[in-house]
Amino acid sequence: MDVFDHRNGIVTVQNMGLEMTDETADTPGGFTKKRYTPRSLLTGTSRFAHNLPALVRAKRADRVSDQFAEKIMLAVTAVNECQYCTRYHTDLAQETGVDQATIDRILENDVDAAVDDEERTALLFAQAYAEADEDPSPDAVAELRETYGPETAADVLAFVRAIYFGNLLGNSYDALKFGVRRRTRRARRCLRRGAESAQRAVERLRERCPV
């Protein structure tokens, strides 16, 4: 099967269930990064498992060097803003020989300044894939295949899909922590207000019925 047949399961945010929840809606003070809902996590996990054989083949084939792969994954991470993947893949990129200036440019979404023509198409595709919530345009897919050929393009896609899943998994963990902290703060405020109300009631009672 062609690796890009019907976008190989690539679906939109709505289809994957990546809509904002009430607890973490895109509002001032809310959690705004893309992440999984309980429903879409099952879909994402299934797609990640489906992508694993392609990822293993990509690693073994070595058509995409470790350094190139880390740049690709940083490009996806720059869009999704996963703090854990940013730190982890920055370290791995440095281990493969990528200098900090290049890493910084990729994380700032400045791909044109970060890499040469040989790598630019792959990194731009990685950005487009993440920005489109795993639904890149046919033109972006066609350019990737035309630039690298079907096999290397499939390898690039395997790395992109893997890191996208990791990004949203990390963001989902942060969203969970954010929700717990917000609920805890709300509970504390309610308790404090309740205690203040009780104290005022006691004071009024004392004023009316002095002992």
Side-chain angles (χ1 to χ4, degrees), residues 6-18 43-44 47 129 132-136 164:
H6 192 53
R7 291 185 273 281
N8 214 6
I10 297 172
V11 291
T12 64
V13 176
Q14 290 77 18
N15 289 339
M16 286 190 67
L18 293 177
T43 302
R47 295 184 67 245
Y129 183 96
D133 302 305
E134 300 194 281
D135 189 16
Y164 189 93

Side-chain angles (χ1 to χ4, degrees), residues 44-208:
T45 302
S46 175
R47 295 184 67 245
F48 176 74
H50 181 75
N51 184 57
L52 274 178
L55 185 62
V56 171
R57 287 195 297 271
K59 293 289 289 183
R60 289 177 176 173
D62 202 29
R63 287 180 287 261
V64 176
S65 69
D66 290 341
Q67 185 177 106
F68 190 13
E70 290 305 324
K71 292 177 183 178
I72 290 168
M73 290 189 280
L74 282 172
V76 176
T77 301
V79 175
N80 291 327
E81 301 179 299
C82 172
Q83 61 169 326
Y84 310 106
C85 296
T86 297
R87 289 197 295 267
Y88 181 65
H89 286 282
T90 290
D91 290 343
L92 289 182
Q94 289 174 334
E95 290 177 8
T96 65
V98 183
D99 62 85
Q100 188 60 49
T102 298
I103 292 171
D104 290 342
R105 292 188 187 101
I106 294 173
L107 291 176
E108 292 167 358
N109 291 306
D110 190 6
V111 168
D112 288 333
V115 297
D116 57 24
D117 292 341
E118 184 177 347
E119 297 178 336
R120 185 172 293 112
T121 300
L123 268 66
L124 290 175
F125 174 83
Q127 285 183 330
Y129 183 96
E131 290 169 352
D133 302 305
E134 300 194 281
D135 189 16
S137 70
D139 288 343
V141 172
E143 184 175 4
L144 185 71
R145 297 190 67 178
E146 182 179 344
T147 301
Y148 301 105
E151 291 184 337
T152 302
D155 294 346
V156 170
L157 182 61
F159 286 114
V160 169
R161 283 176 170 163
I163 191 61
Y164 189 93
F165 174 76
N167 286 171
L168 266 64
L169 205 60
N171 287 348
S172 300
Y173 175 66
D174 278 347
L176 179 62
K177 291 195 302 179
F178 176 87
V180 169
R181 286 196 301 269
R182 188 156 74 172
R183 284 191 292 270
T184 300
R185 288 194 296 269
R186 286 176 177 172
R188 288 174 179 171
R189 285 196 298 269
C190 288
L191 288 173
R192 186 168 58 250
R193 290 168 182 168
E196 291 171 352
S197 296
Q199 181 64 31
R200 287 193 296 269
V202 169
E203 291 173 354
R204 285 194 298 268
L205 183 61
R206 285 176 177 174
E207 290 173 356
R208 293 176 183 177

